[in-house]
Amino acid sequence: MRTLLFTLMMFVGGTAMAQDAGVIEIVTMKLAEGVTVQEFKPVDKAIEEEHVSKQPGFISRQAAFSGGKWAVVVSWESADAAQASMDSFASARAAERFMSMIDPSSMLMTRYELAR
């Protein structure tokens, strides 16, 4: 599991953008086979409450689903803040459970610099 988290962090680490602009981060993923939205919701909420929302530069987070797909939109003060949160993700208490409930090969994260 730690190898998977490290690989994920290295992959998304390269997507950082300009360091002084607000950033919107969009993460999409599929739930692992057999995992229901009802089972995943509290785990996703725990990641938000225990880790993401406590990170410096955090502004807001929304999660949504359609079928077996999950999407998360996080607003950050900067790309540095977004990356620092991702770098510390593996140490979050709920991270291992979160990662066990998704298909990690389906996870895609893109950061967008605010245009206005």
Side-chain angles (χ1 to χ4, degrees):
M1 179 57 80
R2 288 181 192 260
T3 302
L4 174 63
L5 288 173
F6 179 75
T7 302
L8 174 65
M9 288 186 299
M10 295 305 294
F11 171 74
V12 295
T15 63
M17 300 174 85
Q19 303 305 310
D20 58 357
V23 168
I24 295 174
E25 181 177 81
I26 300 175
V27 182
T28 58
M29 66 204 90
K30 292 180 184 176
L31 299 182
E33 181 131 359
V35 175
T36 67
V37 169
Q38 292 74 24
E39 293 169 325
F40 188 66
K41 277 182 182 181
V43 175
D44 179 70
K45 188 72 170 167
I47 280 291
E48 178 177 340
E49 291 176 351
E50 295 173 15
H51 181 70
V52 179
S53 66
K54 295 181 185 215
Q55 300 306 299
F58 171 81
I59 297 172
S60 66
R61 182 179 187 273
Q62 293 180 301
F65 64 92
S66 177
K69 295 180 183 177
W70 198 264
V72 178
V73 178
V74 186
S75 294
W76 297 100
E77 290 177 359
S78 69
D80 282 343
Q83 188 58 44
S85 176
M86 182 55 67
D87 290 345
S88 65
F89 181 80
S91 66
R93 226 176 59 209
E96 188 170 344
R97 182 143 167 83
F98 181 94
M99 292 302 294
S100 74
M101 297 181 83
I102 67 164
D103 172 0
S105 68
S106 71
M107 190 174 221
L108 178 63
M109 194 252 293
T110 307
R111 292 186 184 138
Y112 298 89
E113 188 175 334
L114 291 178
R116 48 190 159 116

